[in-house]
Amino acid sequence: MPIQPLEDLIVDFNEIGVKDRLTLLLEYSDNLPELPSRYKDHPDLLERVEECQSPIYLFVEVDEANRVQLFFSAPPEAPTTRGFASILHEALNGQLASEVLGVDEDFANRIGLAEAVSPLRMRGMRAMLHRIKRQVREKAN
Amino acid sequence: MPVETDSNAKFLEYATPEVLVSTEWLAANLNTDGLVIVESDEDVLLYEVGHIAGAVKIDWHLDLNDPVQRDYIGAEAFQALMQRNGISRESTVVIYGDKSNWWAAYALWVFKLFGHPDVRLLDGGREKWIAEGREITRQVSPVNKSNYPLVSRDDSPIRAFRDDVLAHFGNPLIDVRSPQEYSGERTHMPDYPDEGALRGGHIPTAASVPWAKSAGELGVFRSRAELEAIYLGEAGLKAGDNVIAYCRIGERSSHTWFVLNYLLGFTGVRNYDGSWTEWGSLVGVPIAKGTAPGDLPVSK
């Protein structure tokens, strides 16, 4: 089953020009949800994404119904990284663990951002997805 | 007509004071004719988050590197880049950016590959401007396309290739990477993605001077005396030395190139942009490991 928010996001990005994709990424960056206080007060619980140029931390919860909740923390001086995190949040938060595990590794290439930010920079998003899946695998019921 | 230079007393100590402007100077010259402000950052979205009013954006990945070959853009792409950003050959260009002007210095170095006459850095860059509470905006000002001549890139004065490095042994090399990269403990910067090198270590005889040593609080360049203590004192450079600086892909070392060339007045300083991602994967070249510079290689 394709994940609908993820497919919608791919359409949103691909139906606009390359310049506008950067603007849309900025919107995502601005709207990255804040960490709830249980993580704000416990940064030790978060996992650092080493592959990203800027400090970004993430944490995955899987609830009793096997739905995935994602939490990210990245500083305002790292808007691209925040944008990537926010896109993953929009696409995957609340989805079933099995569906998140089934997300195509190629997802980062399908949203057309490589042309807007350069292919090298997309590595950060792939690394985040990889780490999200690993945590989901560890925590799924 | 180049825009008047900044007569800030700190800059007057440097070998080439006119390559720096202060935040005060820039704030007073935002609307000066003939001045183009360029922001160049590591993060491709930082300009969009807010920039100095009227500044244009030049991105090192998207604008300065050739999209296919590992090289910088050629004459036509540089001409087009200048024109769409409203820069003419006579423009005074002030570049600023994040991380102590690391990427701004890189952009300046590329401008100099094309011999753009008047390019300056904003001392302290983006960090200092914002720390001082100066205004930034998300508004992108319309740019009037300029005429810029087709100028061929002239690498030889400031850019070193691997064969130049091999021929350079016996002259000083400065390795500006982190101590862990220098010793060979790791092949990339701590906390940064691995851009790939098959071996760890450094070019034999290179002195280790991490690039950020030249920047002080709020990313400003250290004073002439402090810089001399670092490069002439600790690193052992002598006046008249012919120096090559390198890092991982040539960005951090362009910052050191700027310091050695403009602030300390060394002539003929070159940046080896192939740097460790090339040298650390080249077949048959000598490498030293550990914290010592290592011996001068003997030809086999």
Side-chain angles (χ1 to χ4, degrees):
Chain A
M1 269 278 284
I3 299 179
Q4 204 50 50
L6 184 146
E7 296 304 321
D8 291 347
L9 206 141
I10 290 171
V11 171
D12 287 350
F13 270 98
N14 281 286
E15 69 186 11
I16 55 178
V18 172
K19 254 204 150 134
D20 290 335
R21 289 177 203 170
L22 210 56
T23 312
L24 187 54
L25 181 64
L26 179 63
E27 273 176 38
Y28 275 101
S29 181
D30 285 342
N31 294 323
L32 176 67
E34 276 208 37
L35 277 184
S37 53
R38 64 182 184 279
Y39 293 124
K40 249 187 202 161
D41 303 336
H42 287 281
D44 49 300
L45 291 173
L46 303 172
E47 173 177 343
R48 165 138 199 185
V49 182
E50 301 270 357
E51 296 86 349
C52 284
Q53 296 211 338
S54 309
I56 163 121
Y57 297 86
L58 63 86
F59 194 82
V60 178
E61 286 179 4
V62 181
D63 66 16
E64 284 169 2
N66 255 332
R67 294 212 173 256
V68 170
Q69 303 293 328
L70 298 175
F71 304 93
F72 296 96
S73 164
E77 313 83 70
T80 301
T81 305
R82 285 179 61 88
F84 288 172
S86 183
I87 284 174
L88 290 168
H89 187 271
E90 169 80 17
L92 304 177
N93 197 59
Q95 300 299 322
L96 284 170
S98 55
E99 286 172 346
V100 172
L101 290 176
V103 171
D104 188 356
E105 294 283 342
D106 202 38
F107 161 63
N109 297 334
R110 289 169 61 209
I111 53 179
L113 267 174
E115 294 152 271
V117 304
S118 97
L120 268 175
R121 285 181 171 124
M122 292 309 293
R123 270 202 297 226
M125 189 188 270
R126 279 195 291 274
M128 278 186 227
L129 180 60
H130 188 77
R131 283 168 188 266
I132 289 169
K133 285 188 178 184
R134 204 206 61 240
Q135 286 202 25
V136 169
R137 220 171 282 128
E138 288 166 6
K139 292 167 183 171
N141 303 308
Chain B
M1 266 289 284
V3 176
E4 203 180 324
T5 57
D6 186 348
S7 55
N8 189 306
K10 174 192 161 191
F11 303 157
L12 295 178
E13 295 178 352
Y14 296 133
T16 317
E18 59 270 27
V19 295
L20 286 173
V21 302
S22 59
T23 48
E24 292 79 14
W25 182 95
L26 188 58
N29 281 282
L30 286 180
N31 299 311
T32 300
D33 277 348
L35 177 72
V36 180
I37 307 167
V38 173
E39 176 157 344
S40 222
D41 298 316
E42 177 171 290
D43 191 302
V44 67
L45 261 187
L46 206 50
Y47 170 91
E48 279 76 9
V49 167
H51 51 266
I52 297 175
V56 295
K57 165 186 170 180
I58 292 184
D59 181 69
W60 69 281
H61 269 298
L62 301 169
D63 296 320
L64 299 178
N65 282 336
D66 184 284
V68 179
Q69 191 171 317
R70 182 174 174 187
D71 202 352
Y72 297 98
I73 52 172
E76 279 168 20
F78 187 74
Q79 179 186 41
L81 176 67
M82 296 298 100
Q83 290 183 346
R84 71 172 177 267
N85 284 300
I87 300 169
S88 68
R89 193 73 174 166
E90 296 72 37
S91 297
T92 293
V93 177
V94 170
I95 312 181
Y96 73 99
D98 60 350
K99 309 205 169 188
S100 305
N101 277 327
W102 165 354
W103 303 93
Y106 186 62
L108 182 143
W109 180 74
V110 175
F111 270 69
K112 286 299 180 186
L113 291 176
F114 294 92
H116 188 89
D118 189 2
V119 202
R120 312 176 193 179
L121 285 186
L122 172 66
D123 196 28
R126 183 181 166 95
E127 184 186 356
K128 185 162 191 275
W129 182 271
I130 291 174
E132 290 170 347
R134 297 181 193 277
E135 203 182 324
I136 56 169
T137 177
R138 286 191 170 198
Q139 190 78 43
V140 176
S141 308
V143 173
N144 292 324
K145 268 193 77 174
S146 60
N147 275 317
Y148 199 93
L150 190 67
V151 185
S152 55
R153 204 179 71 211
D154 183 8
D155 292 332
S156 55
I158 58 171
R159 185 181 187 193
F161 292 91
R162 58 183 182 271
D163 290 342
D164 300 324
V165 177
L166 282 167
H168 184 80
F169 280 124
N171 293 293
L173 285 151
I174 301 284
D175 183 317
V176 314
R177 298 172 302 157
S178 62
Q180 297 93 320
E181 292 169 273
Y182 179 84
S183 69
E185 193 185 313
R186 56 193 307 161
T187 51
H188 59 106
M189 251 182 299
D191 305 336
Y192 271 68
D194 187 355
E195 264 144 357
L198 292 173
R199 291 288 186 270
H202 55 268
I203 302 179
T205 74
S208 169
V209 187
W211 72 279
K213 276 193 156 185
S214 61
E217 212 176 317
L218 292 181
V220 298
F221 287 107
R222 293 195 181 279
S223 69
R224 173 102 191 222
E226 288 170 324
L227 293 175
E228 285 180 351
I230 295 167
Y231 293 98
L232 300 165
E234 292 167 37
L237 295 181
K238 289 182 295 294
D241 272 347
N242 172 9
V243 187
I244 291 178
Y246 72 93
C247 57
R248 181 184 46 126
I249 55 169
E251 11 67 274
R252 284 172 285 176
S253 46
S254 55
H255 188 273
T256 297
W257 167 84
F258 183 90
V259 169
L260 295 175
N261 186 50
Y262 291 118
L263 307 188
L264 292 176
F266 283 90
T267 51
V269 184
R270 283 173 295 167
N271 180 22
Y272 169 41
D273 59 277
S275 277
W276 197 255
T277 52
E278 177 174 80
W279 196 270
S281 294
L282 270 177
V283 176
V285 295
I287 285 175
K289 286 187 90 85
T291 52
D295 298 327
L296 196 61
V298 283
S299 18
K300 287 180 196 164

